């Protein structure tokens, strides 16, 4: 009896310490399954989290599919006071099209806390910049150090919906 109990404990101990029990299986060599970050449960009840593994070709595809951006900022900002005492600010609103397509039309409103203005850009070539020289009047010029709210009225790029085009616009703060 003692011999059979000892033999049983050895068998259980061997199966407990065998590498097959402790090894974790991460599936086959198929890249599509290794890309998902799904959690699987093994027979022992452990959860295995899979990290996405991508190769150089998949990385290049992801970079090509990166979200195109339309960047807005202002430059050459200066505030002056006219001889009659009016406050005015001069600056250039710059649009940088980092998409691979031409921006046909972009009509928007830039709203700062105490001042707002409209801007329209037409036929902006891909991966290039255009600017509009602007002058605004009023004490609201002093509140333009913050990022404005951008209200897009019309955004047209071939191959993109108006909503996708509007969502790709970001304000960039240049120092």
């Amino acid at each position: 009896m003692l011999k059979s109990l000892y033999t049983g404990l050895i068998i259980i101990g061997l199966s407990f310490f065998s590498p097959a029990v402790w090894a974790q299986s991460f599936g086959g060599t198929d890249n599509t399954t290794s890309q998902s970050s799904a959690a699987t449960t093994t027979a022992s009840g452990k959860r295995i989290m899979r990290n996405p593994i991508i190769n150089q070709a998949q990385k290049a595809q992801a970079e090509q599919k990166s979200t195109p951006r339309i960047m807005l900022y202002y430059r050459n900002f200066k505030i002056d006071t006219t001889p009659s005492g009016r406050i005015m600010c001069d600056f250039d609103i710059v649009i940088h099209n980092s998409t691979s397509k031409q921006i046909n039309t972009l009509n928007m409103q830039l709203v700062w806390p105490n001042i707002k203005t409209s801007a329209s850009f037409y036929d902006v070539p891909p991966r290039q910049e255009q600017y509009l020289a602007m002058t605004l009047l009023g004490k609201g010029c002093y509140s333009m150090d913050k990022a404005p709210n951008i209200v897009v009225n019309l955004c047209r790029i071939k191959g993109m919906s108006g909503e996708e085009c509007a969502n790709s616009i970001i304000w960039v703060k240049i120092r």
Side-chain angles (χ1 to χ4, degrees), residues 24-45:
Q24 295 180 352
S25 173
F26 290 97
T29 59
D30 185 21
N31 284 341
T32 57
T33 58
S34 67
Q35 287 182 0
S36 66
S37 59
T40 58
T41 306
T42 61
S44 62

Side-chain angles (χ1 to χ4, degrees), residues 12 27 68 74 92 113 121 124 131 152 166 175:
I12 291 172
Y74 63 79
D92 298 331
F121 293 93
V124 181
Y131 72 93
V152 179
R175 293 185 186 220

Side-chain angles (χ1 to χ4, degrees), residues 46-58:
K46 293 182 181 178
R47 290 186 72 171
I48 301 172
M49 298 302 290
R50 297 183 184 183
N51 291 328
I53 301 170
I54 59 173
N55 57 24
Q56 291 297 333
Q58 292 168 336

Side-chain angles (χ1 to χ4, degrees), residues 105-120:
T105 305
L106 176 58
N107 296 331
M108 65 189 154
Q109 208 173 37
L110 302 171
V111 182
W112 285 276
N114 298 324
I115 199 166
K116 66 180 175 180
T117 186
S118 297
S120 297

